[in-house]
Amino acid sequence: MAQARRPFFCGNWKLNGSIAESVALATDVRNGVATVRDADVAVAPSFTALHAVAKRLEDGPVSVAAQDCFWEEKGAFTGEVSPGQLADAGCKSVILGHSERRQLLGELDAAVNLKARAALKAGLTPIICVGETLAERDAGETLGRILAQLDAALADMSEAELGRIVIAYEPVWAIGTGRNATPAQAQEVHRFIRTRVASRSAAVAAKVRILYGGSVKPDNIRALMAEEDVDGGLVGGASLSADSFVRIVKEGASV
Ligand code: PGA
């Protein structure tokens, strides 16, 4: 990565961990990255652990992300959590449009857009996920799928709002499979995403951080980060061990 953009690594803990386990893991991550000066680091626990983890991490440098939010601030929406509530719990960012939500829970592009705009209003950084399935890649539809997801997610955002988002490219076939995209495959899509953002604002495109996600490990992050448009990682399985996540941050930040 050209040092134009500060690397960002976010651990996505998915549906894992009690409050005590989450606080312990967060503490180990914080201690492990204490000497890392040249990257931003976040962890995304389950809703139930957000506040306790945020309290533990309040002195920095690791910030807290949620894994989803709703698009309304309050009202009769049983089971939902608003961006303002997440900010109140200590979150700085929120992962949106993860492929597991799209595939298993029927989340639509339009919902990702509503959530992202609501998150921005509440002062959160949306980490917007896009990615193609294996069938779409095999059918030559990768870039078309990314384009559709991206355009829908970023619709009706002002240039100032666009300037506050993070995008994550996560090929669905690489998530939790142990099969990461090659650096060249990642770079092709990351460049495509940046070019698309540039059609809205060249200034935002130059600084928007585009993370790669999908079987990121300590031994593949360097090659991915060496690509010009890869600015960090959204890490699932390997972020559940403080040791491997800290190694990913250190390896990735030093490229
Ligand atoms: P993985 O998950 O690192 O376990 O492949 C990445 C993600 O889903 O964000």
Side-chain angles (χ1 to χ4, degrees):
M1 190 209 67
Q3 283 304 323
R5 295 170 292 273
R6 187 172 161 83
F8 180 32
F9 300 93
C10 180
N12 174 12
W13 294 352
K14 308 192 180 184
L15 203 175
N16 289 289
S18 65
I19 295 173
E21 288 165 346
S22 300
V23 169
L25 179 55
T27 305
D28 288 345
V29 169
R30 181 196 64 186
N31 294 343
V33 303
T35 57
V36 176
R37 295 275 166 269
D38 37 13
D40 293 329
V41 182
V43 293
S46 291
F47 281 127
T48 48
L50 285 174
H51 187 239
V53 168
K55 276 260 165 235
R56 173 58 58 92
L57 298 179
E58 65 190 351
D59 295 331
V62 178
S63 70
V64 177
Q67 299 174 19
D68 186 33
C69 70
F70 193 50
W71 56 79
E72 297 287 353
E73 257 316 311
K74 61 179 174 181
F77 304 105
T78 302
E80 295 297 336
V81 176
S82 75
Q85 289 176 316
L86 295 178
D88 183 44
C91 295
K92 299 283 184 251
S93 52
V94 56
I95 298 167
L96 294 172
H98 191 281
S99 66
E100 285 151 15
R101 297 203 56 80
R102 293 178 188 266
Q103 297 209 307
L104 302 173
L105 295 150
E107 185 149 298
L108 301 174
D109 286 337
V112 178
N113 174 254
L114 289 173
K115 291 178 176 190
R117 287 162 53 211
L120 286 163
K121 278 204 184 65
L124 298 175
T125 299
I127 302 170
I128 299 171
C129 304
V130 297
E132 82 287 1
T133 62
L134 188 57
E136 287 163 344
R137 176 162 282 270
D138 288 346
E141 291 167 1
T142 296
L143 298 183
R145 187 75 197 107
I146 301 299
L147 185 68
Q149 291 177 338
L150 197 61
D151 282 359
L154 307 190
D156 299 322
M157 281 185 197
S158 67
E159 185 171 349
E161 287 175 326
L162 274 182
R164 291 172 45 214
I165 67 169
V166 169
I167 298 169
Y169 169 53
E170 298 208 308
V172 176
W173 47 272
I175 295 175
T177 59
R179 174 185 167 194
N180 64 292
T182 65
Q185 285 172 324
Q187 170 59 20
E188 181 195 15
V189 178
H190 282 231
R191 171 52 60 95
F192 179 77
I193 291 170
R194 197 177 305 285
T195 303
R196 190 64 184 170
V197 174
S199 71
R200 299 272 292 274
S201 164
V204 169
K207 65 171 221 189
V208 68
R209 290 184 289 188
I210 307 174
L211 316 183
Y212 168 78
S215 298
V216 170
K217 299 279 179 316
D219 64 3
N220 61 27
I221 188 63
R222 284 186 77 85
L224 290 158
M225 290 296 290
E227 296 293 337
E228 191 180 340
D229 291 292
V230 178
D231 305 317
L234 182 53
V235 185
S239 73
L240 292 173
S241 146
D243 179 58
S244 71
F245 185 57
V246 167
R247 277 164 54 213
I248 287 168
V249 172
K250 288 185 172 169
E251 289 284 338
S254 65
V255 174

